[in-house]
Amino acid sequence: MPDENRTRATAREAIALLTGAAGFTEHLPPPRPLPPDGPLGWAGYDAARERASARTGEEESVVYGTGVVGDRACVLLSFEFGFLGGSLGRNTGDRLAAAYELALTRRLPLLALVATGGSRMQEGMVALTQLQRVAAASTRLRAAGLPQIAVVRDPTTGGGWATVGAGADVVLALPGAQVGFAGSRVRPPDADPYAYSAEGQFAAGQVDAVVPADELAATVTQWLRALGPHEDLPAAPVPRALTTAGAGWTAGAGMGSTAGTGSAAGGGAVAPLPGTGREAVARARDPRRPRAEAYLADYFAVRLPLHGDRSGATDPGLLCGLGLRADGQPVAYVAQCGTPTRPAGYRAAARTIRLADRLGVPVLTLVDTPGAANDAEAERAGAGAAIADTFAAIAAARGPVTTLVIGEGGSGGALALAAPDNTYVTVDSYFSVIAPELAAAILKRPPSETGATADQLRLRPQDLVDLGFARSIVG
């Protein structure tokens, strides 16, 4: 739990932390005076506002305008917690709506630096309905293909968290910040404080990264470069096949006869194709084979993870995010890491694909899973619905999605991440309607016939090309 007595950065200090010498140009909406003591006639409200203004030098709890972070222009809005706890009233809503409209008009990303206790009780329902205004303004920005980044500061609670904060495309948090819908004075007395912290929200998949203040400007700059806006980006280039010489592994080394030649290995050797279905499965399951982390490290100069499913869970076996290649091209990635993919992983994948498609960023998926997780916990977490949503996200994508199968392609749990008509395979991969062991069991065959069953399934890389599932074998 953050120290309630520590000094918090002001709205303008938070802006300056990101814009530095580039500066910030403040904007103001047209003035709209409140009636005496506000819409409810709350006795003492005017005096409280005057004291807050004298203490902070601000006229409201939000400051907004244009600025440059790194080398990227954006619209910034920043909450002043010292002004009535950064609460949202009608005039706050005017400023928030104006900030979103400014981003829409100028076609700039919106960067929100949030520190708020929620809606202003002295304005009652008038204050609460500002959340609907924010949601509508955010939706218009989203429909225009413009990104929204939130940096949640200490504290970020109530409706401000549930709209400006959690409603952003990317949510970054400062270490130790109090983050949650329930503020410290209204949550259950026995509630675990960790659940309401930046770190707790990260663990629950609600925050993409916890970023120290001295790293924030560089991190936000990279996100602005990756998110755009962009115009007519090409499809993601297909990653090259990798070898792991240090682990003594070269694709096809020590295998039997082959049905053709495959890719050139990283050291220049030619990697042969597997001769049998059993051999293809064994190579895909070999622990020395390069995994998603190696491919992503080779493919990207910078990686910016998107973390969690926004429904309270994470899947460490599925990596999502946006990356910048050495040529500066942004590409979204969704990569399976060789483990059964859990519902949270599929939901995170669908979130990433839809975000990339909305922003015009190409998508790269790396397929490598024995299949979807099939335990009771996965079923309770909605495995079927999560897989269906991932299929739908790829099917609906207007922009290019490219898939490389780098290992196991286990049934629908793998196919959910495969791009129709734009899937490639490596020599270390296979793809099958069902694992050969399970196929043999269903057919009531003895284990000794698993290899023959694998051959019947035609799951080798060259079979996948012949069947029209894969475009080619990548070298």
Side-chain angles (χ1 to χ4, degrees):
M1 178 69 68
D3 181 359
E4 295 290 337
N5 297 315
R6 72 182 182 185
T7 301
R8 295 184 174 95
T10 68
R12 295 179 192 274
E13 288 171 344
I15 291 171
L17 179 66
L18 293 175
T19 60
F24 168 73
T25 302
E26 185 176 2
H27 289 240
L28 292 170
R32 187 156 63 127
L34 290 169
D37 280 332
L40 305 184
W42 186 289
Y45 180 44
D46 283 349
R49 287 177 53 85
E50 290 172 3
R51 290 192 299 271
S53 182
R55 183 170 56 250
T56 63
E58 305 294 350
E59 295 299 318
E60 250 304 335
S61 58
V62 162
V63 174
Y64 78 98
T66 56
V68 176
V69 179
D71 57 355
R72 297 287 161 152
C74 60
V75 171
L76 298 100
L77 68 87
S78 186
F79 282 75
E80 176 52 68
F81 189 78
F83 193 101
L84 302 180
S87 56
L88 281 71
R90 190 194 69 182
N91 287 356
T92 322
D94 288 346
R95 293 186 176 212
L96 291 171
Y100 283 88
E101 185 64 27
L102 182 62
L104 185 63
T105 301
R106 300 202 179 183
R107 293 203 56 79
L108 291 173
L110 181 84
L111 174 57
L113 312 176
V114 191
T116 174
S119 299
R120 196 170 296 171
M121 63 182 178
Q122 296 93 332
E123 295 189 24
M125 287 303 299
V126 173
L128 193 63
T129 57
Q130 302 310 307
L131 304 181
Q132 294 172 322
R133 293 181 69 190
V134 172
S138 175
T139 298
R140 288 192 294 272
L141 210 59
R142 189 172 292 113
L146 295 168
Q148 302 169 53
I149 302 173
V151 176
V152 292
R153 300 148 54 208
D154 181 46
T156 297
T157 61
W161 164 238
T163 52
V164 184
D169 299 316
V170 176
V171 182
L172 309 176
L174 291 177
Q178 180 187 161
V179 181
F181 186 64
S184 59
R185 298 184 184 181
V186 298
R187 67 183 65 136
D190 59 348
D192 178 8
Y194 180 73
Y196 304 86
S197 68
E199 290 75 10
Q201 295 286 7
F202 175 79
Q206 310 288 2
V207 165
D208 291 305
V210 178
V211 184
D214 60 356
E215 299 176 13
L216 192 60
T219 300
V220 170
T221 298
Q222 298 284 29
W223 270 115
L224 290 171
R225 289 172 180 165
L227 294 172
H230 305 291
E231 300 292 340
D232 300 324
L233 285 173
V238 182
R240 65 189 182 93
L242 298 181
T243 61
T244 310
W249 168 255
T250 300
M255 300 297 176
S257 62
T258 66
T261 59
S263 60
V270 175
L273 293 170
T276 65
R278 173 178 286 181
E279 183 182 325
V281 173
R283 285 167 60 168
R285 293 176 179 174
D286 194 301
R288 298 169 296 170
R289 169 183 58 78
R291 304 286 166 148
E293 278 284 1
Y295 277 91
L296 295 175
D298 182 72
Y299 192 74
F300 290 113
V302 175
R303 280 167 53 194
L304 302 163
L306 290 168
H307 179 75
D309 69 350
R310 294 297 186 267
S311 295
T314 62
D315 180 0
L318 189 131
L319 305 176
C320 294
L322 273 77
L324 294 169
R325 290 170 46 80
D327 60 4
Q329 179 181 346
V331 176
Y333 62 88
V334 176
Q336 292 170 316
C337 298
T339 59
T341 302
R342 307 203 64 80
Y346 291 112
R347 285 192 285 267
R351 172 197 169 207
T352 302
I353 293 162
R354 290 193 173 106
L355 172 61
D357 192 56
R358 177 162 54 79
L359 299 178
V361 176
V363 177
L364 169 69
T365 67
L366 300 180
V367 169
D368 183 11
T369 181
N374 59 5
D375 53 72
E377 181 184 351
E379 293 296 340
R380 286 192 292 267
I387 295 168
D389 196 41
T390 306
F391 271 115
I394 287 184
R398 298 159 297 178
V401 180
T402 303
T403 297
L404 179 63
V405 185
I406 62 172
E408 292 195 78
S411 193
L415 189 67
L417 291 181
D421 304 319
N422 201 29
T423 291
Y424 300 80
V425 291
T426 70
V427 293
D428 301 328
S429 68
Y430 79 88
F431 219 119
S432 178
V433 65
I434 189 171
E437 296 88 351
L438 298 179
I442 291 172
L443 296 171
K444 299 182 179 180
R445 294 176 176 176
S448 60
E449 294 188 26
T450 298
T453 304
D455 288 336
Q456 283 185 286
L457 287 168
R458 296 195 64 192
L459 48 70
R460 301 172 303 168
Q462 60 267 41
D463 295 326
L464 301 175
V465 174
D466 291 342
L467 290 169
F469 171 74
R471 295 183 67 169
S472 68
I473 300 170
V474 171

